[in-house]
Amino acid sequence: MASAQMIGSTVDRVRTDPTAVRRGRARDWAEIQERMLVPLYLDVYRRLEVGAATSLLGVGCRSGLALLLAEGRGAQVAGVEADGELRALAQARGLQVGSAGAVGAVARSAHPVPRPAHSLVTVFERPPTPGAVARAAERVLPGGQLVVAAWGPAERCESAAVLAVAGRHAPSEVPDPFAAGVPGGLEALLAAAGTRPVGGGAVGCPFAYAGLDSAVRGLLSTGLFDRAERAAGPVLLAKELEEALHPYLRPDGSVRMVNVFRWAVGTRPRV
């Protein structure tokens, strides 16, 4: 007989309707996981003095919380997001968000106009790749700034033990989420994209969840486990995630993992 804790858990739902669970990933990101990165967003905006003079483009903006926080500081914001469900959630929040292939995102203002380039472009979500950073750099105005972010060193991230579940099942397919967070890693991506690294920082981003099921749903919504899920199957992966999370359970049933994220900023040279 299933325990009270397991009734309605992700494992149970995956067994009965895995398709419905996958369809709910975008909302799980917006409702559970996205807020874990708020300290990162706020640290970047504070250090770069984001405000009314800023035209910001979020590349891979997902459901748009980072854009809303920038808008709250007075910035004009726009985003691009490849995932249709995440893009729809961002648009439902009143944000101007186009598909990843959009030629010109539209900045919010009283009279929105197409902006092919922006004073600040951010790449916050998922491990940044050279190609993604290079494409983002093309959207930065001369003299503007490009920000990239990634997990910090694995030894400073308690979630590393949980993320290792993905690597076990698809070792040749799952990129190392900590590769860019090594000293000089983000700066090298910026330089390769034609920008001049000029600064950065590191900030603590605790991953705190109401319970074990919330933690599993939040982590699955990141997309970091998609390839492992295809390799191992959704039930086995969800069960292994639960097991990996047990060391971070607190007496009240909540889950908390301390993590560090790094970010770096580069300036696009004026022509």
Side-chain angles (χ1 to χ4, degrees):
M1 180 177 179
S3 66
Q5 184 180 1
M6 289 297 296
I7 293 175
S9 72
T10 299
V11 173
D12 293 333
R13 290 194 297 275
V14 166
R15 285 196 181 103
T16 57
D17 194 348
T19 302
V21 171
R22 284 193 293 272
R23 282 200 302 266
R25 295 269 163 86
R27 191 158 294 280
D28 284 343
W29 170 266
E31 295 179 354
I32 299 173
Q33 191 65 28
E34 190 173 31
R35 66 179 181 268
M36 308 302 174
L37 297 179
V38 166
L40 169 65
Y41 306 149
L42 294 181
D43 191 53
V44 170
Y45 296 161
R46 177 184 60 82
R47 295 272 299 276
L48 300 186
E49 299 181 344
V50 168
T54 307
S55 169
L56 185 151
L57 176 69
V59 174
C61 66
R62 310 210 83 182
S63 52
L65 179 57
L67 295 180
L68 289 174
L69 293 172
E71 186 179 59
R73 298 174 66 95
Q76 292 187 343
V77 301
V80 290
E81 172 55 49
D83 185 284
E85 293 182 12
L86 287 167
R87 188 167 64 249
L89 289 174
Q91 291 168 343
R93 287 170 160 175
L95 294 165
Q96 298 281 353
V97 176
S99 65
V103 174
V106 179
R108 293 192 71 174
S109 67
H111 303 286
V113 294
R115 289 178 180 263
H118 299 256
S119 63
L120 175 63
V121 176
T122 60
V123 184
F124 281 136
E125 313 300 354
R126 301 193 180 187
T129 63
V133 175
R135 288 190 294 274
E138 295 174 356
R139 308 295 292 273
V140 182
L141 286 166
Q145 296 172 310
L146 171 63
V147 169
V148 291
W151 292 82
E155 61 271 17
R156 299 188 63 189
C157 297
E158 290 185 332
S159 294
V162 182
L163 297 181
V165 172
R168 286 203 299 270
H169 288 292
S172 62
E173 297 182 57
V174 176
D176 180 2
F178 302 99
V182 300
L186 293 175
E187 291 79 3
L189 286 173
L190 289 170
T195 66
R196 180 170 63 89
V198 294
V203 60
C205 292
F207 282 19
Y209 306 92
L212 196 60
D213 184 60
S214 176
V216 172
R217 288 168 54 203
L219 290 165
L220 287 174
S221 76
T222 64
L224 296 173
F225 298 89
D226 289 356
R227 294 176 182 176
E229 186 175 57
R230 290 193 291 270
V235 174
L236 177 59
L237 182 69
K239 288 179 67 175
E240 290 196 8
L241 280 178
E242 285 189 345
E243 293 170 2
L245 286 163
H246 268 286
Y248 307 103
L249 271 173
R250 298 196 161 199
D252 63 358
S254 65
V255 175
R256 181 180 174 86
M257 295 174 286
V258 177
N259 300 299
V260 170
F261 278 73
R262 287 193 65 240
W263 62 274
V265 56
T267 300
R268 184 176 177 185
R270 296 183 184 275
V271 180

